[in-house]
Amino acid sequence: MDEVFRALADPTRRALLDELFREDGQPLRALEERFAMTRFGVMKHLKVLEEAGLVVSRRRGREKLHFLNPVPIRLVHDRWVSKYAQPWTAALSDLKHRMETPMEKVFEIYIHTTPERLWEAITDTEIRSKYQFGMRATSDWTPGSRYEMRAGGGDGPDGELGQLLGEGENLEIDPPRRLVQSMVALWGDDVKSEGTSRVTWEIEPVGDSCRLTVTHDQLREGANNQLYGGWPMILSGLKTWLETGELLTTPGSLLYRS
């Protein structure tokens, strides 16, 4: 967390984050045009933000695109803010940090665990419900198979299976490294019309920990931000459970938990 606070202490770096909040996935040339400093100066500030995990870069052809990663800010919120705030404060914080122009969103987090245990946490029905708003993921986890996300069970409109909140296809499965899924959100009329998007989970061992990168793409421009706005809380809850065995109790994390 020290690296996050140091990165946020500089006004230029905060301005860079504001610029990525305004328009995510920008190349260096676009960012340097908006700041009265050299290309090298912008690169130095971006490097600090990347080292703090606040910015994630991805190569697209000849260009390197930079994405705002709100997960570290979510972790700061969960550790120091949510315990003092009223329930509606966390909801407003989520709304503030959702992006306006999605297309592609990249989220990154480091978790002290093994790739095998992290993969299990992503694919196990009971474990998944502990950090993804209480939703239960069911599938046989084979390439081309179907998966479903349901709320609890026993009292939902679908009987013992629980309410169907999302579904899709497992496009690529490479345990414990990579999972690519199509996603159709079904929890409300405002998201049902958005159609199919794609979620990619990538696990990379780093020392005695793992770097987990979640990329949510194939979103239409201007898509409903409910589709991707919950990822910081989901990943924060995943990290908390794997490292401490405890559950987050922020209002959003309790949404479908029985």
Side-chain angles (χ1 to χ4, degrees), residues 86-138:
Q86 294 295 326
W88 52 265
T89 306
L92 290 177
S93 177
D94 279 346
L95 182 62
K96 177 178 175 60
H97 287 90
R98 289 171 182 166
M99 319 306 176
E100 296 295 330
T101 54
M103 301 301 294
E104 178 180 17
K105 294 297 174 186
V106 182
F107 306 91
E108 184 178 274
I109 192 169
Y110 287 82
I111 304 176
H112 184 64
T113 189
T114 64
E116 292 76 15
R117 189 161 179 253
L118 180 50
W119 181 269
E120 179 188 22
I122 294 169
T123 58
D124 182 270
T125 300
E126 295 302 324
I127 298 177
R128 186 76 169 260
S129 69
K130 296 180 184 298
Y131 62 86
Q132 190 160 351
F133 311 125
M135 291 192 286
R136 301 161 60 87
T138 58

Side-chain angles (χ1 to χ4, degrees), residues 47-72:
K47 182 179 179 182
V48 174
L49 291 170
E50 286 194 56
E51 289 174 346
L54 292 163
V55 168
V56 179
S57 62
R58 285 291 178 270
R59 182 70 63 177
R60 293 292 183 270
R62 292 185 173 183
E63 291 189 311
K64 185 179 181 183
L65 303 185
H66 299 85
F67 296 86
L68 176 63
N69 179 29
V71 176

Side-chain angles (χ1 to χ4, degrees), residues 28-79:
L28 176 61
R29 59 175 175 76
L31 291 170
E32 64 178 308
E33 289 175 358
R34 293 171 172 81
F35 292 88
M37 65 175 63
T38 65
R39 181 185 183 90
F40 181 69
V42 175
M43 289 174 62
K44 285 181 62 177
H45 284 298
L46 285 172
K47 182 179 179 182
V48 174
L49 291 170
E50 286 194 56
E51 289 174 346
L54 292 163
V55 168
V56 179
S57 62
R58 285 291 178 270
R59 182 70 63 177
R60 293 292 183 270
R62 292 185 173 183
E63 291 189 311
K64 185 179 181 183
L65 303 185
H66 299 85
F67 296 86
L68 176 63
N69 179 29
V71 176
I73 297 175
R74 178 79 239 182
L75 291 171
V76 170
H77 173 272
D78 290 337
R79 181 170 178 180

Side-chain angles (χ1 to χ4, degrees), residues 209-236:
S209 300
C210 290
R211 177 169 61 205
L212 174 62
T213 304
V214 173
T215 303
H216 196 161
D217 62 2
Q218 297 186 358
L219 293 151
R220 70 171 183 85
E221 186 169 355
N224 191 308
N225 55 22
Q226 290 184 49
L227 294 177
Y228 57 86
W231 283 115
M233 189 180 294
I234 292 170
L235 298 183
S236 180

Side-chain angles (χ1 to χ4, degrees), residues 143-207:
S145 63
R146 170 185 168 85
Y147 77 92
E148 295 182 346
M149 300 294 297
R150 293 182 179 270
D155 55 1
D158 293 329
E160 291 301 317
L161 292 176
Q163 181 186 1
L164 182 62
L165 300 173
E167 62 184 4
E169 180 183 346
N170 296 308
L171 304 174
E172 296 180 36
I173 296 187
D174 181 19
R177 291 179 288 271
R178 180 178 168 89
L179 172 64
V180 183
Q181 301 174 294
S182 64
M183 171 185 159
V184 178
L186 300 172
W187 59 79
D189 292 337
D190 47 354
V191 294
K192 287 180 181 178
S193 61
E194 293 291 347
T196 304
S197 57
R198 182 176 64 181
V199 176
T200 301
W201 306 72
E202 296 175 288
I203 300 171
E204 180 183 351
V206 181

